[in-house]
């Protein structure tokens, strides 16, 4: 948590002035009981009305100056807290963007969202309250005790006993609560995860009539979260009654002691009132401090969760900077090691193996093949055979665990990530569009793409007709996630987005599954005609989508069981033949 305070460095002035103005306000507040004692002893006791009104004016002045100091402190504290939160969230988001798929899979997208929003807001509130109250409350508590000693030493000894007792209660509750609030946030992660899963999968849940089961699952997680919250709430709730008991007990003893000392003439009635006021100030400030500590406890727990994300190092470090790459390349388009391989080798898998984190078995193993420039490579296999894992290694979304993988003759780990991924266009299984316009979505890969470039890509992706039909054309609104488009339209737009980039290597990862056969065929024909120099990887469950591929790679249980053309595999690969016949029947012919 404390490492996060580095994001306050640009707000040093605000972080100092906020507490200072709060201490100034507290100083004026500590003067009030002395003024009240003077009014009672000299004004009321002596029957001097003018003195009462005069000192009343002093009280009003103290109140006005205190209010101005408080507002100033609030301004600086809020500015520092909001600025801190903004910088922390920005840094957290930048760090998350550097993580590989493996780390994001491990942390979980729901947990990351919670840490970016709920946890970050809790930390912001904690910083704000600390700047305003963390010095003010102890200052008034200690100041009130010191002022009490200036009035009467014997009566002030009651403060010496009460304040340590209060400190034990406050800090005891704090230390007991910190680990429990961490459990609360973990439980919140689970509830949010179930909520997110149900909202995104609402149609599937209704299609299978699983509403009641999902409600029960949510109730179970919600009850578990409630149970932890109730437990930590009971511990936190002990703070106020215990502090009130100690303070009120001390007040009773103080009044009794004061009455005895007033009878003996050792102190005045005004002094007793001042002592009681100081005790009341201590009560108010300790209640504030108790609530502050509860908030700070939550903030520390949330801050630790955020810090945990910062401490996760990516398994895909950008080992080579752009400058190093260019220096090594000596101004050539390719690095020197690429000069020793055939010029038309685009992608080379050399005994490549890959294992997911926290998995004991390889997802793919001993993969060896070469894709030439301009070739169309089909990838097919049963569910879980490793098709997506295979193509995700090319843009280095995951790092291989054995063997060697090269792009244009250079090991993928020897590329700057931006340069490597700049060569590759990827259309993932799930079609994702972003809020904005069709034009802004199409320009993701090439910010300088012209309308002509975009329309060319839309025509190739068979998306031009429905885009022209939209009001505004390229300026038509794309809602979050592209929910104002059908599944097939989203897929064609994501393909067009990759085509606008004009990549050297294009990966279509089962990205035409929502298209009919005619549109799918037209799409593949358009890509072949307009991207002749591009190496194309098509991952598909449909054999019809791969018939015209130069070569088809057949995967089974993470290994290659066949490489060849459609006719060669049909004659010599049992796995491919089974897939083909399951779709077209034994002896069937695709159309």
């Amino acid at each position: 948590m404390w490492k996060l305070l580095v994001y306050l460095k640009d707000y040093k002035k605000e972080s100092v002035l906020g507490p200072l103005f709060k201490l100034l306000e507290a100083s004026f507040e500590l003067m009030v009981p002395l003024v009240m004692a003077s009014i009672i002893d000299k004004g009321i006791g002596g029957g001097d009305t003018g003195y009462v009104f005069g000192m009343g004016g002093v009280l009003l002045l103290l109140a006005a100056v205190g209010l101005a100091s408080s507002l100033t402190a609030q301004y600086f504290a809020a500015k520092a807290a909001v600025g801190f939160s903004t910088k922390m969230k920005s840094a957290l988001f930048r760090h998350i963007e550097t993580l590989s798929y493996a780390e994001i899979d491990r942390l979980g997208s729901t947990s990351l969202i919670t840490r970016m929003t709920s946890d970050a807001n809790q930390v912001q509130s904690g910083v704000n309250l600390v700047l305003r109250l963390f010095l003010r409350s102890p200052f008034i508590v200690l100041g009130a005790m010191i002022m009490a000693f200036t009035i009467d030493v014997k009566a002030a000894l009651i403060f010496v006993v009460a304040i340590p007792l209060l400190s034990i209660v406050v800090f005891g509750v704090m230390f007991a609560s910190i680990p429990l609030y961490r459990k609360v946030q973990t439980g919140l992660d689970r509830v949010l995860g179930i909520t997110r899963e149900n909202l995104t999968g609402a149609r599937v849940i209704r299609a299978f009539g699983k509403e009641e089961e999902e409600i029960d699952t949510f109730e179970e997680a919600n009850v578990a979260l409630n149970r932890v919250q109730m437990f930590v709430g009971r511990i936190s709730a002990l703070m106020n009654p215990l502090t009130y008991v100690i303070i009120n007990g001390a007040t009773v003893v103080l009044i009794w002691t004061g009455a005895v000392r007033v009878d003996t003439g050792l102190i005045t009635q005004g002094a007793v009132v001042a002592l009681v006021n100081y005790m009341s100030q201590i009560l108010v400030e300790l209640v504030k401090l108790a609530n502050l500590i509860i908030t700070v406890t939550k903030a520390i727990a949330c801050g630790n969760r955020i810090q945990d994300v910062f401490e996760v190092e990516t398994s895909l470090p950008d080992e080579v900077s752009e400058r190093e790459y260019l220096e090594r390349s000596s101004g050539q388009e390719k690095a020197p090691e690429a000069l020793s391989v055939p010029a038309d080798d685009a992608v080379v898998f050399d005994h490549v193996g890959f294992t997911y984190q926290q998995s004991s078995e390889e997802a793919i193993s001993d993969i060896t093949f070469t894709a030439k420039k301009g070739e169309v490579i089909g990838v097919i296999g049963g569910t879980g055979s490793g098709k997506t894992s295979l193509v995700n290694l090319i843009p280095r979304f995951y790092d291989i665990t054995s063997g060697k993988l090269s792009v244009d003759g250079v090991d993928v780990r020897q590329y700057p990530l931006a340069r490597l991924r700049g060569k590759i266009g990827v259309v993932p299984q799930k079609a994702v569009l972003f809020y904005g316009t069709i034009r802004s979505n199409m320009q993701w890969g090439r910010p300088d793409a012209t309308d002509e470039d975009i329309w060319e890509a839309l025509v190739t992706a068979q998306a031009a007709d429905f885009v022209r039909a939209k009001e505004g054309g390229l300026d038509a609104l794309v809602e979050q996630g592209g929910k104002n488009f059908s599944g097939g339209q989203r897929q064609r737009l994501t393909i067009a987005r990759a085509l606008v980039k004009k990549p050297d290597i294009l990966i279509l990862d089962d990205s035409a599954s929502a298209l009919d056969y005619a549109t799918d065929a037209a799409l593949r024909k358009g890509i072949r005609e307009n991207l002749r120099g591009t190496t194309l990887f098509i991952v598909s469950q449909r054999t019809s989508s791969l018939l015209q591929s130069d070569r088809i790679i057949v995967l089974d249980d993470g290994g290659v069981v066949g490489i060849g053309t459609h006719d060669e595999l049909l004659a010599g690969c049992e796995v491919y033949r089974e897939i083909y016949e399951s779709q077209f029947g034994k002896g069937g012919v695709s159309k």
Side-chain angles (χ1 to χ4, degrees):
M1 165 65 188
W2 309 117
K3 293 180 181 178
L4 299 180
L5 297 181
V6 68
Y7 300 109
L8 266 176
K9 66 181 181 180
D10 292 333
Y11 298 93
K12 293 177 182 176
K13 180 183 73 175
E14 290 82 359
S15 300
V16 171
L17 290 177
L20 281 179
F21 274 98
K22 270 296 180 181
L23 292 181
L24 183 61
E25 178 210 357
S27 300
F28 291 126
E29 190 171 328
L30 288 173
M31 296 179 187
V32 171
L34 294 181
V35 176
M36 289 296 299
S38 180
I39 290 174
I40 293 171
D41 292 338
K42 296 180 181 179
I44 298 174
D48 189 344
T49 306
Y51 186 83
V52 172
F53 281 108
M55 296 306 289
V58 172
L59 287 177
L60 291 175
L61 179 61
L62 289 174
V65 175
L67 177 62
S69 299
S70 178
L71 291 176
T72 306
Q74 295 277 70
Y75 168 76
F76 285 123
K79 184 178 179 181
V82 172
F84 159 83
S85 178
T86 301
K87 289 184 177 294
M88 181 186 69
K89 288 179 184 178
S90 297
L92 180 61
F93 190 78
R94 281 196 302 272
H95 179 72
I96 291 172
E97 287 295 296
T98 68
L99 301 179
S100 72
Y101 284 6
E103 285 81 47
I104 292 175
D105 291 343
R106 177 162 58 85
L107 292 169
S109 57
T110 300
S111 179
L112 290 174
I113 291 171
T114 304
R115 297 179 204 218
M116 278 284 297
T117 53
S118 174
D119 288 355
N121 290 339
Q122 195 71 251
V123 173
Q124 177 183 322
S125 298
V127 170
N128 192 353
L129 286 175
V130 165
L131 291 177
R132 290 194 290 113
L133 298 176
F134 201 68
L135 289 180
R136 181 189 189 278
S137 293
F139 178 81
I140 286 190
V141 170
L142 293 176
M145 185 173 71
I146 292 170
M147 297 300 288
F149 271 100
T150 63
I151 295 172
D152 185 67
V153 174
K154 186 174 181 180
L157 292 175
I158 299 168
F159 290 76
V160 176
V161 176
I163 290 175
L165 289 176
L166 290 167
S167 300
I168 291 172
V169 171
V170 168
F171 288 102
V173 170
M174 181 184 73
F175 288 123
S177 300
I178 287 176
L180 293 174
Y181 279 118
R182 194 181 186 91
K183 288 185 178 180
V184 168
Q185 293 302 119
T186 302
L188 181 60
D189 278 351
R190 172 157 170 73
V191 170
L192 290 176
I194 294 171
T195 305
R196 182 170 179 264
E197 187 177 60
N198 275 265
L199 291 176
T200 56
R203 295 182 180 180
V204 178
I205 292 169
R206 291 172 184 175
F208 283 87
K210 293 289 185 179
E211 292 92 340
E212 291 300 323
E213 288 86 342
E214 291 301 315
I215 290 172
D216 291 341
T217 301
F218 180 84
E219 284 289 333
E220 181 183 344
N222 201 31
V223 167
L225 173 61
N226 181 64
R227 192 178 297 118
V228 177
Q229 286 180 315
M230 290 290 287
F231 181 65
V232 69
R234 289 190 187 99
I235 293 176
S236 299
L238 290 173
M239 192 175 295
N240 282 354
L242 288 176
T243 52
Y244 271 104
V245 166
I246 294 171
I247 284 291
N248 286 317
T251 302
V252 169
V253 174
L254 182 62
I255 292 173
W256 179 75
T257 303
V260 171
R261 294 179 72 76
V262 167
D263 282 343
T264 57
L266 295 174
I267 58 175
T268 64
Q269 292 175 331
V272 174
V273 172
L275 289 170
V276 172
N277 280 341
Y278 281 128
M279 187 64 76
S280 298
Q281 284 185 351
I282 291 174
L283 171 61
V284 171
E285 292 306 320
L286 281 171
V287 170
K288 286 182 183 179
L289 186 60
N291 292 326
L292 168 65
I293 287 174
I294 292 172
T295 302
V296 170
T297 300
K298 293 179 182 178
I300 290 173
C302 293
N304 288 336
R305 282 163 47 85
I306 293 173
Q307 184 59 38
D308 288 344
V309 178
F310 277 115
E311 291 176 356
V312 174
E313 295 184 2
T314 179
S315 58
L316 293 178
D318 206 347
E319 299 170 355
V320 181
S321 68
E322 184 68 18
R323 181 177 179 180
E324 290 171 336
Y325 178 84
L326 292 174
E327 288 177 351
R328 188 184 59 191
S329 302
S330 301
Q332 301 174 49
E333 180 63 25
K334 295 177 175 51
E337 58 264 36
L339 303 177
S340 62
V341 301
D344 61 346
D345 283 0
V347 179
V348 178
F349 278 73
D350 184 7
H351 299 287
V352 168
F354 168 67
T355 304
Y356 285 102
Q357 287 187 3
Q358 301 177 339
S359 175
S360 58
E361 298 181 358
E362 286 190 319
I364 59 174
S365 58
D366 199 28
I367 303 293
T368 300
F369 71 88
T370 299
K372 302 293 184 181
K373 290 184 178 178
E375 272 194 320
V376 178
I377 305 295
V379 183
I380 196 169
T383 302
S385 59
K387 303 184 296 298
T388 297
S389 299
L390 176 74
V391 294
N392 276 341
L393 298 176
I394 300 173
R396 207 180 167 208
F397 292 149
Y398 296 96
D399 253 343
I400 62 175
T401 49
S402 62
K404 183 178 180 181
L405 172 58
S406 303
V407 171
D408 287 345
V410 181
D411 191 308
V412 291
R413 285 168 290 196
Q414 297 305 312
Y415 277 105
L417 284 174
R419 177 174 284 266
L420 173 65
R421 292 171 184 171
K423 290 174 171 283
I424 303 169
V426 181
V427 185
Q429 289 175 321
K430 184 178 179 181
V432 178
L433 296 173
F434 297 88
Y435 180 82
T437 63
I438 293 176
R439 178 184 286 104
S440 67
N441 272 271
M442 293 301 103
Q443 290 177 326
W444 265 59
R446 276 180 61 199
D448 61 343
T450 64
D451 286 2
E452 183 181 348
D453 295 327
I454 294 172
W455 281 114
E456 180 184 340
L458 290 171
V459 170
T460 302
Q462 310 303 304
D465 290 342
F466 72 79
V467 172
R468 287 193 183 100
K470 284 277 185 182
E471 184 179 350
L474 293 180
D475 293 316
L477 175 68
V478 178
E479 294 182 10
Q480 187 178 21
K483 62 185 179 182
N484 56 328
F485 292 91
S486 68
Q489 289 174 337
R490 284 198 299 271
Q491 285 194 336
R492 282 176 279 173
L493 287 173
T494 54
I495 292 170
R497 179 174 60 196
L499 296 177
V500 168
K501 187 178 179 181
K502 296 187 183 299
D504 296 335
I505 300 167
L506 178 61
I507 299 171
L508 303 181
D509 185 6
D510 204 14
S511 53
S513 57
L515 306 184
D516 59 74
Y517 285 99
T519 305
D520 186 15
L523 169 65
R524 286 182 280 110
K525 180 181 178 183
I527 291 175
R528 282 197 305 271
E529 291 177 350
N530 297 322
L531 282 81
R532 292 189 180 277
T534 298
T535 304
L536 177 62
F537 286 84
I538 302 177
V539 178
S540 180
Q541 299 281 8
R542 297 176 180 174
T543 53
S544 62
S545 298
L546 308 178
L547 293 178
Q548 304 304 318
S549 301
D550 296 305
R551 278 179 300 152
I552 302 171
I553 300 172
V554 185
L555 297 177
D556 185 42
D557 197 23
V560 175
V561 294
I563 299 179
T565 63
H566 166 70
D567 292 333
E568 290 170 348
L569 292 171
L570 202 58
C573 180
E574 183 180 351
V575 174
Y576 182 79
R577 187 168 55 251
E578 287 177 356
I579 295 173
Y580 177 78
E581 291 178 351
S582 70
Q583 296 173 10
F584 297 103
K586 193 170 184 179
V589 179
S590 64
K591 298 179 181 179

